[in-house]
Amino acid sequence: MEPTAKQERGMTRRQFASCTAAAAAGFLMTACGPKRLFDMPRDRLRTLIRDMERDYTEKYGTAVTVADTPPIPGVKFAYALDVSRCIGCRRCVYACVEENNLSRDPQVHWIRVLEMDKEKGIDFAHADPYYEADKVPREKHFYVPVACQQCDNTPCTKVCPTGATRVDPDGIVVIDYDWCIGCRYCMAACPYGARHFNWSEPTIPEGQLNPNTHYLGNRPRPKGVVEKCTWCIQRTRAGRYPACVEVCPVGARKFGNLLDPESEIRYIIEHKRVLVLKPELNTMPKFFYFYGT
Amino acid sequence: MTRAVVFALAVLASPALSLAGDARPTPAAVTAPAERVAAPEGRVTVPAERVEVPPPPFSEGIFPCSNCHAGMEPNRERRVLTDMHTEITLRHDEAHRWCLDCHDAQNRDVLHLASGEPVKFEESYRLCGQCHGEKYRDWRAGVHGRRAGSWNGHKTYLLCAHCHNPHQPRFQALTPKPAPKRPTRFIPSKGAR
């Protein structure tokens, strides 16, 4: 009985031993490893955030707030983008830049709009993010905006040596910039090119800083850390829609609670043709693409 | 637990099963969002079953239409307008349609349905919904068009007319924002992943 079961699982005694050892080592490392933001005692966090607000306020000359709003219980965020509606106007790209205090120079964009050929379908080998046009949509083309897919099975967090990046209970993949050491393993692991590195000091022109920030989101970043889309964590954890959803002139962008049967996300999953990017990688994105037609 | 739900949904969403996605929405799913609509001030509100919308996108000074039309005899003849509204050209199934199919002849301040029931401009979606039922259902669910407000609470809807000119409803092409700069450090392949 015993040996057959083992063979079925295709595991030898030796493999089993090394797996156990690895698991034990892993457990030890996480257990003794660095404390994450929300493991920190509340009062220490408060002090940390107050100092941060003071520094930013001084540096940017405007009253900056840094929120630490936690995930809402019973909420798992999801996003859906109507590929049949998107016209590639890039309004979302720049709304994101302003909302999330992205560096203008060097230029960082969390959203990349890929232009694809209708003839070829969704094909990353023939996707062009640099298209120029007087008017969009261009004939024979369609558009696929790509940002962080907020995977449930995240290749990026698994390779992080410091625990700086993780999946929060509401499904948002976050980065604690104070713990990021800039090794960029996560960037190599991400199959969607959704993580961006601050090669030099980010710049935001005077008066253009969005002062409503979140610790894990759009607070000003230093040089040398990785950043990415957080579904506007500073807005969505406060009940608002992400900036890209609000700006989209064709209404292609949808956002809501996957666990709420009445959310637009659930309606889309139940009534529309839905797909995810690179499903073969089993990353289980919570960013869906659909055909609203 | 939640992980299991997400996984179940992800499976549901896989292209292999997408045929199921063509299923018609149930009426319950369609009306549900509207029932949650409350009525804050400063916005146009419509009674139960109706949704809250921003003011209709009229040109300045055109409304109320009765300012002029109250004293005018309605002219049901299909013709080229010369004295007023000359900027309006119908490109909306125009072979089969004329102004008074949508606008009420007696009271120009309202539209009317095929049944003759008058409909306020704040509810023009009901008119559109008569012929575009599927789009209307999606719109009610927040999936066609756009809603504002909070994802877990009160929402307002953009009218069809905020995006589609009722007289020429095809969506106008837009000028795109600038392309991203090409990176200088790495030479990208065209398909950048």
Side-chain angles (χ1 to χ4, degrees):
Chain A
M1 200 63 217
E2 247 257 302
T4 13
K6 250 194 229 154
Q7 271 157 9
E8 260 172 26
R9 274 183 279 124
M11 189 184 265
T12 64
R13 187 179 293 271
R14 185 197 183 89
Q15 278 170 328
F16 177 76
S18 25
C19 281
T20 318
F27 174 76
L28 271 178
M29 275 163 70
T30 28
C32 313
K35 286 254 182 246
R36 319 283 176 79
L37 172 66
F38 292 106
D39 298 339
M40 217 185 268
R42 222 53 202 164
D43 51 339
R44 226 185 96 203
L45 182 62
R46 279 277 117 74
T47 329
L48 184 92
I49 282 180
R50 235 190 358 257
D51 291 352
M52 219 173 245
E53 288 178 335
R54 196 196 50 223
D55 292 351
Y56 292 149
T57 299
E58 202 168 287
K59 178 162 176 202
Y60 292 96
T62 167
V64 179
T65 56
V66 180
D68 62 336
T69 326
I72 305 169
V75 170
K76 191 104 173 171
F77 288 128
Y79 203 113
L81 196 148
D82 189 343
V83 206
S84 58
R85 208 55 74 225
C86 177
I87 56 172
C89 71
R90 295 199 189 100
R91 302 282 188 279
C92 51
V93 175
Y94 291 90
C96 171
V97 166
E98 286 168 26
E99 170 67 32
N100 290 298
N101 296 322
L102 301 195
S103 174
R104 316 302 206 266
D105 181 29
Q107 187 185 60
V108 176
H109 285 173
W110 286 352
I111 304 175
R112 271 185 327 158
V113 184
L114 304 179
E115 188 181 60
M116 301 200 187
D117 294 346
K118 279 193 176 157
E119 231 170 56
K120 298 203 168 79
I122 296 190
D123 175 0
F124 289 92
H126 296 93
D128 178 12
Y130 304 111
Y131 61 93
E132 313 259 7
D134 290 339
K135 293 279 175 194
V136 284
R138 291 205 296 179
E139 249 182 71
K140 301 199 182 120
H141 290 90
F142 70 104
Y143 301 84
V144 182
V146 180
C148 176
Q149 305 288 298
Q150 315 284 359
C151 306
D152 217 40
N153 185 17
T154 38
C156 53
T157 62
K158 289 176 186 161
V159 297
C160 179
T162 65
T165 183
R166 63 173 189 274
V167 190
D168 262 5
D170 57 4
I172 306 182
V173 180
V174 295
I175 302 173
D176 185 335
Y177 311 116
D178 282 10
W179 285 99
C180 177
I181 55 169
C183 69
R184 291 177 278 124
Y185 286 2
C186 57
M187 290 173 67
C190 175
Y192 304 103
R195 288 175 167 257
H196 306 272
F197 186 64
N198 287 286
W199 288 99
S200 47
E201 196 66 37
T203 57
I204 297 163
E206 213 181 304
Q208 290 188 28
L209 185 88
N210 172 8
N212 303 317
T213 74
H214 191 283
Y215 182 94
L216 296 168
N218 59 342
R219 72 177 161 103
R221 275 81 68 190
K223 172 181 169 177
V225 301
V226 171
E227 59 179 65
K228 59 178 273 299
C229 161
T230 64
W231 280 342
C232 286
I233 196 165
Q234 66 281 2
R235 299 167 64 104
T236 49
R237 283 201 181 159
R240 300 172 65 197
Y241 282 110
C244 50
V245 170
E246 281 189 2
V247 79
C248 180
V250 296
R253 290 173 165 273
K254 306 295 164 190
F255 179 82
N257 181 4
L258 195 51
L259 303 182
D260 174 3
E262 296 198 354
S263 68
E264 44 260 63
I265 296 295
R266 288 286 284 275
Y267 180 94
I268 289 163
I269 289 173
E270 277 151 41
H271 300 292
K272 301 290 179 188
R273 221 177 105 209
V274 178
L275 51 90
V276 296
L277 298 184
K278 308 191 179 181
E280 68 279 9
L281 300 178
N282 195 33
T283 49
M284 303 214 286
K286 291 184 292 298
F287 198 117
F288 301 99
Y289 292 82
F290 72 103
Y291 295 92
T293 48
Chain B
M1 222 302 277
T2 51
R3 208 184 160 86
V5 175
V6 172
F7 181 67
L9 288 168
V11 169
L12 238 181
S14 77
L17 291 172
S18 62
L19 282 181
D22 290 334
R24 291 285 153 264
T26 60
V30 176
T31 47
E35 287 160 13
R36 296 197 286 176
V37 170
E41 48 215 87
R43 296 272 193 155
V44 182
T45 49
V46 280
E49 268 290 323
R50 308 285 172 260
V51 298
E52 190 190 328
V53 299
F58 284 120
S59 321
E60 218 173 297
I62 194 95
F63 196 85
C65 317
S66 50
N67 278 353
C68 299
H69 281 278
M72 275 171 61
E73 197 54 35
N75 183 346
R76 292 174 187 277
E77 198 182 331
R78 188 184 251 280
R79 64 199 194 279
V80 175
L81 300 183
T82 50
D83 300 347
M84 187 63 200
H85 312 314
T86 46
E87 75 288 358
I88 295 177
T89 317
L90 276 192
R91 290 247 152 52
H92 189 179
D93 197 20
E94 62 277 10
H96 306 108
R97 196 142 299 116
W98 179 238
C99 318
L100 300 179
D101 293 346
C102 298
H103 293 283
D104 196 79
Q106 303 311 322
N107 176 4
R108 213 49 68 91
D109 291 341
V110 295
L111 300 158
H112 67 75
L113 303 181
S115 64
E117 181 191 341
V119 164
K120 289 187 282 187
F121 282 100
E122 288 78 17
E123 294 172 22
S124 57
Y125 51 85
R126 293 177 62 204
L127 171 68
C128 315
Q130 281 198 311
C131 299
H132 301 291
E134 211 170 312
K135 281 282 168 300
Y136 176 58
R137 272 194 307 267
D138 285 354
W139 179 83
R140 292 296 291 236
V143 170
H144 187 81
R146 199 170 83 209
R147 298 196 291 194
S150 55
W151 57 263
N152 58 353
H154 181 70
K155 295 177 184 67
T156 59
Y157 288 65
L158 285 188
L159 288 168
C160 318
H162 285 117
C163 296
H164 299 287
N165 176 341
H167 310 128
Q168 300 187 18
R170 162 148 289 171
F171 198 84
Q172 298 298 308
L174 296 177
T175 307
K177 296 266 198 175
K181 289 188 194 131
R182 289 170 194 268
T184 45
R185 200 173 289 260
F186 302 112
I187 308 303
S189 62
K190 194 188 178 210
R193 296 159 181 278

